Amino acid sequence: MHTMRQIFNRQKKALFFWLALFVIGWGFTDFKPIFAGLILGSLFGLYNFWIIVRRMERFDQSISQGKETKSIGGTVLRFGSGVAAAAIALTKPETFNMIATVIGLMIPYVLLLVDRIVVHVKHY
């Protein structure tokens, strides 16, 4: 069984690869707002995934120590960062494409799904 930190580190590597492709696309194509939106959304999506990992580690630690945990803080932060990404894209529509930003927010979760499928196929 992989720990959340190991999964997060694999996710980071994959996401940095995609970010590099988005930067290349932004630099060498005429679709700058689309690639800028993908970059913006992916960065905020990575932040959201990092929040989940951090909260799960704290939850595991609290359970092992027999303490109570708060559960609403991570959700509020993730929701707020999604709103912040959308607000940035809405205030600068000439720079960031809103649809690409929303797609970028979902990229870490799609990568997580693909990673889980690959791990499952490898081990079974």
Side-chain angles (χ1 to χ4, degrees), residues 4 25 29 39 45 66 74 85 103 121:
M4 280 301 292
T29 67
I39 292 167
I103 291 170
V121 168

Side-chain angles (χ1 to χ4, degrees), residues 34-53:
I34 293 172
F35 283 108
L38 286 169
I39 292 167
L40 177 69
S42 296
L43 290 174
F44 275 92
L46 179 63
Y47 173 69
N48 285 343
F49 192 64
W50 174 74
I51 291 171
I52 291 172
V53 170

